[in-house]
Amino acid sequence: KELIIANIVSSAEEFRFMNLTLTCHPRSAELFAHRRWLIQYVIKNNDNDIITLCKLELKVATKAADQYYSNYISWSHRCWIIRTYLSDHSEILLNELEDTMSWLSKHISDSNVYYYRQQLLTLLLEINHANSKKLWKHELQINKEMIEYYTGHEAMWLFRRFLLANIPEKNEEKTKLYYEEMKFVNQYYPDESVSGYTLEQNRQIHFAKSYKMFINLFKSDNCK
């Protein structure tokens, strides 16, 4: 930091050095903390294109997440970029939703990417994006298809709780949604005539039961 402030080392050189270091240490909290300091320093002291800089950081965070499974540090950095500098850029938020969907299909149990998508959806709702409701329903449908296709992954069920609890709908619509969710979850209850469920199937049954308890609470709070 002292070398950068003294103009002995340029910010561009420091970014290149950190990019190289991240290839060996993709989960280093210290490296990402230093990146955040450097980004703030560059934005404060130089006439830089903030959007371009942030887009590059999103790519860096993605690469680090690819290198280390369930990389909480890199996803937290990505959330920081979005919330600090890109929270009112709906086009970028929408692109991030699309980009992380393809990433999610390859990392179905990584809770970090679900949390990141929560942030994106919440920001789009906060800025009153015209398609927020449509996006939320589309996300519910995608999540439903993933639960049906990939058996026994808790992260998917927990993400569905977030979607249901925060969906931008009026109470009468939420009542309709409650009955749709009950129909969906009941299909995962065990058939008494069937024995010998696999481990994944038993996990799915367990998560479905927990989700059913949640949607009953959802009904008592929202469907009046």
Side-chain angles (χ1 to χ4, degrees):
K1 290 184 175 73
E2 292 179 358
L3 293 175
I4 294 166
I5 294 171
N7 291 320
I8 297 172
V9 174
S10 71
S11 58
E13 290 173 322
E14 189 70 2
F15 275 122
R16 284 195 293 270
F17 173 72
M18 285 192 292
N19 290 345
L20 179 62
T21 308
L22 274 174
T23 61
C24 297
H25 304 282
R27 201 172 181 270
S28 171
E30 291 79 9
L31 270 175
F32 277 108
H34 184 53
R35 289 191 83 93
R36 289 190 286 277
W37 175 86
L38 185 58
I39 290 166
Q40 291 172 315
Y41 176 83
V42 168
I43 290 173
K44 180 180 178 180
N45 293 280
N46 297 282
D47 185 21
N48 280 290
D49 183 350
I50 297 175
I51 302 301
T52 299
L53 176 61
C54 289
K55 285 182 176 179
L56 290 172
E57 279 303 296
L58 294 176
K59 290 181 179 179
V60 168
T62 301
K63 186 176 180 180
D66 275 329
Q67 288 181 273
Y68 195 104
Y69 178 72
S70 194
N71 192 341
Y72 169 78
I73 305 299
S74 67
W75 283 106
S76 295
H77 181 72
R78 196 166 178 167
C79 286
W80 179 82
I81 292 292
I82 286 290
R83 281 211 162 267
T84 306
Y85 297 111
L86 303 174
S87 61
D88 58 347
H89 293 269
S90 60
E91 184 178 349
I92 295 176
L93 299 177
L94 291 170
N95 286 339
E96 283 294 286
L97 268 178
E98 184 176 348
D99 290 346
T100 53
M101 188 65 245
S102 60
W103 197 93
L104 179 59
S105 65
K106 302 173 185 176
H107 306 80
I108 57 175
S109 291
D110 190 342
S111 60
N112 295 295
V113 67
Y114 291 104
Y115 178 74
Y116 184 65
R117 291 178 74 79
Q118 288 182 28
Q119 300 302 303
L120 296 172
L121 289 165
T122 301
L123 286 172
L124 286 165
L125 190 61
E126 288 175 356
I127 63 175
N128 294 315
H129 188 271
N131 291 325
S132 291
K133 186 184 294 187
K134 184 178 178 181
L135 286 168
W136 222 276
K137 288 188 174 180
H138 180 62
E139 199 74 20
L140 272 168
Q141 181 60 32
I142 292 173
N143 177 261
K144 178 182 178 181
E145 292 170 1
M146 292 186 70
I147 287 174
E148 290 173 342
Y149 189 80
Y150 301 103
T151 303
H153 294 275
E154 186 177 19
M156 297 177 188
W157 289 96
L158 294 177
F159 182 52
R160 194 167 191 83
R161 292 189 189 191
F162 162 80
L163 294 173
L164 184 64
N166 296 281
I167 191 167
E169 290 281 16
K170 296 179 180 178
N171 280 353
E172 53 268 27
E173 289 296 323
K174 288 182 177 180
T175 301
K176 180 182 177 181
L177 181 60
Y178 163 77
Y179 288 107
E180 291 174 353
E181 289 298 295
M182 287 297 289
K183 183 179 179 181
F184 165 66
V185 77
N186 281 336
Q187 68 182 305
Y188 294 105
Y189 267 61
D191 184 343
E192 299 298 334
S193 64
V194 177
S195 60
Y197 286 105
T198 65
L199 175 62
E200 290 77 13
Q201 289 171 327
N202 280 320
R203 285 170 58 84
Q204 191 84 316
I205 291 168
H206 172 72
F207 299 144
K209 287 180 177 179
S210 296
Y211 183 66
K212 188 171 184 178
M213 292 174 62
F214 173 81
I215 58 179
N216 279 322
L217 289 173
F218 169 82
K219 180 188 178 185
S220 65
D221 290 340
N222 297 279
C223 306
K224 299 175 181 178

